Amino acid sequence: QVQLQESGPGLVKPSQTLSLTCSVVGASISTRGDYWTWVRQHPGKGLEWIGNIYHTGTTYYNPSLESRITISVDTSRNHFSLKLDSVTAADTAIYYCARVRFHFSGQLVPLFDYWGQGALVTVSS
Amino acid sequence: EIVLTQSPDTLSLSPGNRATLSCRASESISSTYLAWYQQKHGQAPRLLIFGASTRATGIPDRFTGSGSGTDFTLTINRLEPEDFAVYYCQWYGGSTEYTFGQGTKLQI
């Protein structure tokens, strides 16, 4: 059973850095072909993709957030992390981590197949 | 940049009814990369459909995805109480482009 769990401070002050970690249980973060992702959801709103990481450390970021985000991976601890710099109230959201498994059906199709329960991060002084 | 627009924003139906949810892309996209997710209140999203029409593992056959080009549809037959949730379509446009629609809330 694959399980993901987000952890980190639930309250961050404006202009500071939001830091979250996603611990993965029941799967190896080094599995070939699997990527690991962060998605956020503003209160009462839709979903926004933040970025992906591969176990090698290769990252792909949402261009709209790229200047402020860093996603890293620690294969020895089987977890990956998100840092979001210079936060404002607009960064208040539920942050989800998930696995992206690429399914081959003629072409490689990304499936967000396992998700963490989400971590609410509020930006406020 | 592809924009996905879902309609309606809210759909009110009863158990046993059929739900038809729409996802329209701002330009023609490959159906290979169109997925649907279900999100129940207070829970993480769950993958329902990928490749526009392929059900994910464990998804009941009352969920059907269809469409091509710019217009995609998620149909839910014989609504069960547990189907009332928010549904999102998603498109994968490449390594740095994962776009979600704004969601359709299916309510009783």
Side-chain angles (χ1 to χ4, degrees):
Chain A
Q1 176 88 8
V2 180
Q3 294 181 315
L4 293 86
Q5 178 68 60
E6 305 87 353
S7 60
L11 181 64
V12 182
K13 289 182 167 53
S15 80
Q16 294 191 342
T17 296
L18 177 159
S19 296
L20 291 171
T21 294
C22 180
S23 299
V24 180
V25 176
S28 171
I29 210 165
S30 299
T31 298
R32 182 179 178 182
D34 286 346
Y35 286 71
W36 304 89
T37 193
W38 289 97
V39 174
R40 71 180 181 178
Q41 185 170 37
H42 294 102
K45 301 297 184 183
L47 301 165
E48 179 181 30
W49 174 72
I50 298 171
N52 290 355
I53 191 164
Y54 196 56
H55 66 86
T56 56
T58 299
T59 52
Y60 301 94
Y61 296 148
N62 184 326
S64 69
L65 297 169
E66 184 170 15
S67 63
R68 296 195 294 131
I69 58 176
T70 302
I71 299 176
S72 58
V73 64
D74 186 333
T75 55
S76 66
R77 295 184 177 184
N78 217 44
H79 72 207
F80 61 107
S81 300
L82 168 69
K83 290 189 186 298
L84 178 63
D85 296 327
S86 306
V87 296
T88 69
D91 294 310
T92 293
I94 297 172
Y95 287 77
Y96 293 100
C97 60
R99 184 178 78 174
V100 184
R101 170 153 287 188
F102 278 81
H103 171 84
F104 184 76
S105 55
Q107 300 182 65
L108 288 172
V109 178
L111 310 181
F112 289 47
D113 61 353
Y114 287 97
W115 296 67
Q117 64 185 27
L120 173 62
V121 180
T122 301
V123 178
S124 175
S125 56
Chain B
E1 178 188 340
I2 299 290
V3 176
L4 299 179
T5 302
Q6 294 185 239
S7 61
D9 288 334
T10 303
L11 184 59
S12 298
L13 292 170
S14 300
N17 288 167
R18 173 186 296 172
T20 302
L21 287 66
S22 173
C23 176
R24 176 163 291 178
S26 56
E27 58 188 83
S28 183
I29 61 174
S30 170
S31 60
T32 298
Y33 301 118
L34 194 286
W36 290 91
Y37 290 81
Q38 175 194 65
Q39 186 178 33
K40 297 180 181 179
H41 183 69
Q43 297 185 19
R46 177 175 72 144
L47 175 66
L48 291 179
I49 300 281
F50 62 93
S53 61
T54 302
R55 280 184 293 275
T57 302
I59 302 303
D61 60 8
R62 64 178 184 274
F63 290 88
T64 302
S66 62
S68 63
T70 60
D71 292 308
F72 298 87
T73 301
L74 175 67
T75 302
I76 313 170
N77 291 308
R78 305 179 306 280
L79 283 167
E80 299 281 347
E82 62 266 27
D83 298 336
F84 292 90
V86 181
Y87 292 84
Y88 295 95
C89 56
Q90 181 211 41
W91 177 74
Y92 167 66
S95 58
T96 61
E97 190 169 7
Y98 294 81
T99 302
F100 290 91
Q102 86 279 10
T104 290
K105 182 179 182 180
L106 177 58
Q107 65 181 23
I108 298 178

